[in-house]
């Protein structure tokens, strides 16, 4: 195995080497990261492609070489949200056998994800999509519908194990209330300029919501 370069050698190599262009996939990620970062600015208005290009120090044409439209950029963020959240939902389902505990962990996971990703929160609750293509909001609606379905299954199982007469109905009602609670927490986080954290008094809140 060859000896590692000295620091001086590495500096010289960096100095004389031509600047490498990012690969297409890398540039797409950079664009989405920049968009998410811009969305994290409290009170930010509608983000334009010109502002996004300026932040990345590229032309608008360079953006459109990777995304056909700004709507596609938002779809990229939504895909990240979907893949991350539902991967974690599946992991919780696999590792946790108690349905009540699964429900609690799902709620905590979503609120923690939002808290760590303020820009994504604005997408999830639709604040960043107000002036964008309607299909983006529809997709986020479907995201929460899918979350509610996961909760229904957990809560129906919990109700059945507790001897409920109508576990399916009880599960549906509880799932609806919990989703409303989660969305409310995310909206408050977004519209407070990210000051009111989703995790605020979370244990006490879940004790009331989950019963």
């Amino acid at each position: 195995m060859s000896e590692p370069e000295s620091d001086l050698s590495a500096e010289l190599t960096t100095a004389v080497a031509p600047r490498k262009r990012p690969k297409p996939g890398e540039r797409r990620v950079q664009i989405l990261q920049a968009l998410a970062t811009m969305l994290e600015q409290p009170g930010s208005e509608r983000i334009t492609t010109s502002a996004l290009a300026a932040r990345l120090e590229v032309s608008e044409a360079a953006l459109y070489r990777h995304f056909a439209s700004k709507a596609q950029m938002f779809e990229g963020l939504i895909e990240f949200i979907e893949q991350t959240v539902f991967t974690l939902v599946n992991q919780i389902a696999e590792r946790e056998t108690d349905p009540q505990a699964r429900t609690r962990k799902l709620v905590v996971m979503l609120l923690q994800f939002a808290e760590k990703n303020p820009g994504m929160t604005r997408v999830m609750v639709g604040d960043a999509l107000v002036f964008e293509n309607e299909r983006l909001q529809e997709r986020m609606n479907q995201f929460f519908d899918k979350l509610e379905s996961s909760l229904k299954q957990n809560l129906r199982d919990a109700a059945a194990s507790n001897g409920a007469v109508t576990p399916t109905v009880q599960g549906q009602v509880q799932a609806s209330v919990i989703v409303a609670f989660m969305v409310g927490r995310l909206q408050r986080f977004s519209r407070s300029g990210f000051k009111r954290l989703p995790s605020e008094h979370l244990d006490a809140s879940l004790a009331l919501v989950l019963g």
Side-chain angles (χ1 to χ4, degrees), residues 116-151:
K116 292 176 182 177
N117 299 279
M120 301 294 184
T121 301
R122 293 191 62 208
V123 175
M124 292 165 74
V125 298
D127 289 354
L129 307 177
V130 173
F131 301 106
E132 308 302 334
N133 193 297
E134 289 183 2
R135 76 172 184 272
L136 298 172
Q137 185 59 66
E138 291 172 0
R139 187 162 174 181
M140 285 315 312
N141 292 343
Q142 292 170 358
F143 167 85
F144 283 105
D145 287 344
K146 189 174 178 181
L147 267 183
E148 188 168 341
S149 294
S150 296
L151 287 166

Side-chain angles (χ1 to χ4, degrees), residues 48-199:
T48 63
T49 52
S50 61
L52 180 59
R55 185 179 185 89
L56 288 162
E57 299 181 342
V58 299
S59 66
E60 287 186 72
L63 298 181
Y64 289 120
R65 281 198 290 271
H66 302 281
F67 294 95
S69 64
K70 188 167 65 163
Q72 275 198 0
M73 299 177 199
F74 275 105
E75 284 181 328
L77 293 184
I78 293 173
E79 285 172 3
F80 172 80
I81 293 168
E82 291 172 336
Q83 291 173 2
T84 303
V85 169
F86 288 115
T87 295
L88 293 172
V89 168
N90 291 336
Q91 288 177 359
I92 291 169
E94 291 171 0
R95 297 172 183 174
E96 183 55 68
T97 57
D98 179 65
Q100 194 73 15
R102 281 202 305 268
T103 299
R104 191 183 192 285
K105 288 183 178 181
L106 188 155
V107 175
V108 172
M109 174 273 293
L110 183 74
L111 297 183
Q112 287 179 341
F113 172 81
E115 195 167 306
K116 292 176 182 177
N117 299 279
M120 301 294 184
T121 301
R122 293 191 62 208
V123 175
M124 292 165 74
V125 298
D127 289 354
L129 307 177
V130 173
F131 301 106
E132 308 302 334
N133 193 297
E134 289 183 2
R135 76 172 184 272
L136 298 172
Q137 185 59 66
E138 291 172 0
R139 187 162 174 181
M140 285 315 312
N141 292 343
Q142 292 170 358
F143 167 85
F144 283 105
D145 287 344
K146 189 174 178 181
L147 267 183
E148 188 168 341
S149 294
S150 296
L151 287 166
K152 284 178 185 176
Q153 178 67 46
N154 292 341
L155 293 163
R156 183 180 63 190
D157 293 346
S161 64
N162 291 330
V165 178
T166 55
T168 299
V169 174
Q170 185 171 322
Q172 289 175 342
V173 172
Q174 288 182 311
S176 175
V177 170
I178 292 169
V179 169
F181 166 76
M182 292 192 295
V183 172
R185 281 293 175 105
L186 300 189
Q187 287 176 335
R188 188 181 67 173
F189 181 46
S190 175
R191 295 167 192 178
S192 68
F194 309 124
K195 295 176 182 176
R196 299 292 300 275
L197 300 180
S199 60

